[in-house]
């Protein structure tokens, strides 16, 4: 399948500065006294209606960010521009979004820097794309691949809505990342079902020292990706981790963990590409039954025959012959119970 290029690279495209007083077209997040948030897009002459009364957009236009406005019903609302994390969790979705906690880990631990060339697959709903574009800036490049045209349309709409128009650093292509022929990427991030199947592409497209990060949801995927990176060679020892986020309730002396938390969303696997022809020193690891079981599964999957089972060890196998009989479990000396003591009745 030949990728259909949908390039978004107009150098004159507007990118929202997200500063100063509220202007028509700005997204504004209104927070009521109970902490409920409502996001609106300002337009002259329009109103925001709730069961607590209407609020005119004209009241907000021209106000400084962080102002408090009151609806016709007397309810006060705090007005702020939504953060990227707020926007990601409320924007329209095609595919499941990468949560802000994982996007932050990808940008930070992947060391995505201004001016970097980044390859991303798949684009999904555009959540990670927004974070990557923020990190690389207008001087960098983010090449996003998405196999589903409907998801690509959602991602394009979300990214352009957040930045206020097409971003000059973004190239969105509808197609399989396996068809990518571009090289010289500083960072590669794959959010795919089977990222281990394109490791040849990763090693060819990434610059030496570049960072690869795989985003996978399950432990079988995690195992396959880590072992495939080790078997492929040319990469540093993979690192796998997840992040858990728990808020805390703090009210005077009542300080405790919140009852709810953002637990497992995905695993992240990171590694770096070595120079051509270089093999990293073998990592010293203790013998592992898990590694043996994985190797056996791979052998069976490749058409091999199961290995003969080793007989289970018995007590006689593990007791040396020169140990005195008293030391064996069968010759243990019984313990004589102590005599009972009558209570003193005097």
């Amino acid at each position: 399948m030949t990728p259909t290029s949908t390039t978004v690279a107009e150098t004159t495209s507007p990118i929202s500065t997200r500063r100063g007083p509220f202007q028509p077209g700005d997204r504004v997040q209104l927070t009521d006294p109970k902490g409920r948030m409502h996001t609106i897009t300002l337009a002259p002459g329009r109103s925001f209606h709730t069961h607590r009364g209407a609020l005119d957009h004209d009241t907000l236009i021209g106000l400084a960010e962080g102002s408090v406005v009151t609806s016709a019903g007397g309810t006060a609302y705090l007005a702020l521009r939504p953060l990227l994390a707020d926007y990601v969790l409320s924007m329209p979705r095609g595919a499941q979004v990468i949560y802000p906690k994982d996007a932050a880990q990808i940008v930070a631990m992947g060391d995505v820097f201004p001016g970097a060339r980044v390859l991303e697959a798949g684009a999904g709903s555009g959540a990670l794309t927004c974070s990557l574009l923020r990190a690389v800036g207008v001087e960098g490049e983010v090449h996003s691949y998405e196999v589903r045209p409907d998801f690509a349309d959602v991602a394009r709409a979300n990214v352009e809505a957040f930045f206020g128009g097409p971003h000059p650093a973004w190239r969105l292509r509808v197609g399989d990342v396996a068809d990518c022929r571009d090289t010289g990427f500083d960072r590669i991030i794959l959010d795919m079902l089977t990222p281990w199947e394109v490791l040849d592409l990763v090693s060819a497209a990434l610059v030496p020292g570049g960072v690869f990060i795989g985003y996978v949801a399950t432990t079988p995927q995690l195992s396959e990706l880590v072992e495939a990176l080790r078997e492929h060679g040319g990469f540093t020892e993979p690192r796998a981790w997840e992040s858990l986020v728990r808020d805390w309730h703090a009210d005077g002396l009542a300080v405790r963990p919140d009852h709810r938390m953002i637990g497992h969303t995905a695993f992240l696997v990171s590694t770096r590409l070595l120079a051509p022809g270089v093999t990293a020193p073998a990592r010293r690891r203790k013998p592992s039954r898990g590694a043996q079981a994985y190797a056996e599964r791979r052998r069976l999957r490749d058409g091999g025959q199961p290995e003969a089972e080793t007989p289970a060890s018995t007590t006689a196998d593990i007791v040396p012959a020169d140990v005195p009989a008293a030391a064996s479990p069968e010759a243990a000396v019984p313990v004589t119970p102590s005599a009972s003591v009558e209570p003193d009745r005097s």
Side-chain angles (χ1 to χ4, degrees):
M1 176 181 176
T2 302
T4 302
S5 175
T6 307
T7 302
V8 181
E10 296 287 340
T11 56
T12 58
S13 298
I15 296 180
S16 175
T17 58
R18 305 175 61 80
R19 290 179 178 175
F22 294 128
Q23 300 296 327
D26 281 354
R27 288 177 178 267
V28 177
Q29 184 173 269
L30 301 174
T31 305
D32 68 16
K34 290 188 176 181
R36 292 174 297 199
M37 294 180 289
H38 312 270
T39 302
I40 62 175
T41 301
L42 295 180
R46 297 191 62 180
S47 298
F48 168 63
H49 293 272
T50 73
H51 66 288
R52 295 183 179 275
L55 177 64
D56 293 335
H57 288 202
D58 292 335
T59 304
L60 288 161
I61 294 174
L63 288 181
E65 189 171 3
S67 297
V68 175
V69 292
T70 305
S71 69
T75 300
Y77 289 90
L78 174 63
L80 291 163
R81 290 187 176 92
L83 301 175
L84 174 56
D86 300 322
Y87 176 75
V88 162
L89 295 178
S90 64
M91 70 186 188
R93 299 184 184 183
Q96 173 65 35
V97 300
I98 291 182
Y99 268 69
K101 72 180 183 71
D102 294 319
Q105 291 276 307
I106 290 171
V107 171
M109 304 308 291
D111 194 29
V112 182
F113 56 91
R117 296 186 73 236
V118 180
L119 174 62
E120 172 201 19
S125 297
L128 178 61
T129 307
C130 290
S131 294
L132 295 175
L133 289 170
R134 273 272 191 87
V136 304
V138 295
E139 301 299 326
E141 295 178 9
V142 175
H143 296 247
S144 301
Y145 279 79
E146 176 54 58
V147 295
R148 292 186 51 169
D150 53 337
F151 286 177
D153 290 339
V154 172
R156 184 186 303 107
N158 285 336
V159 171
E160 292 184 5
F162 180 74
F163 287 102
H167 196 291
W170 193 33
R171 281 78 169 150
L172 173 62
R173 293 179 173 85
V174 178
D176 193 338
V177 71
D179 298 324
C180 177
R181 297 296 177 264
D182 296 325
T183 59
F185 291 105
D186 301 295
R187 306 290 184 260
I188 295 180
I189 298 99
L190 299 183
D191 174 13
M192 300 169 54
L193 186 63
T194 55
W196 52 88
E197 293 181 353
V198 293
L199 292 184
D200 287 341
L201 166 72
V202 172
S203 62
L206 201 59
V207 300
V211 178
F212 163 70
I213 294 183
Y215 176 97
V216 293
T218 67
T219 51
Q221 290 174 298
L222 173 65
S223 175
E224 286 288 346
L225 181 54
V226 169
E227 296 301 332
L229 285 165
R230 289 171 177 159
E231 183 179 347
H232 186 281
F235 293 97
T236 60
E237 175 67 13
R239 179 197 173 206
W241 78 98
E242 67 173 337
S243 61
L244 310 176
V245 176
R246 182 175 67 180
D247 287 351
W248 276 70
H249 171 86
D251 186 5
L253 296 180
V255 181
R256 55 169 174 76
D258 209 345
H259 295 305
R260 300 176 62 186
M261 67 178 295
I262 304 175
H264 172 76
T265 50
F267 298 107
L268 298 175
V269 178
S270 68
T271 185
R272 300 184 70 179
L273 184 70
L274 302 177
V278 173
T279 301
R283 181 64 62 94
R284 293 184 178 179
R285 290 190 293 270
K286 294 181 179 180
S288 164
R289 288 187 177 273
Q292 295 171 2
Y294 177 83
E296 174 68 5
R297 188 181 71 176
R298 287 289 301 271
R299 197 175 63 81
L300 294 175
R301 190 169 60 188
D302 294 340
Q305 296 297 320
E307 294 181 351
E309 294 186 2
T310 304
S313 298
T314 63
T315 304
D317 295 329
I318 60 176
V319 177
D322 57 349
V323 175
S328 64
E330 293 79 2
V333 178
V335 178
T336 303
S338 59
S340 61
V341 178
E342 291 292 333
D344 185 1
R345 301 181 183 276
S346 58

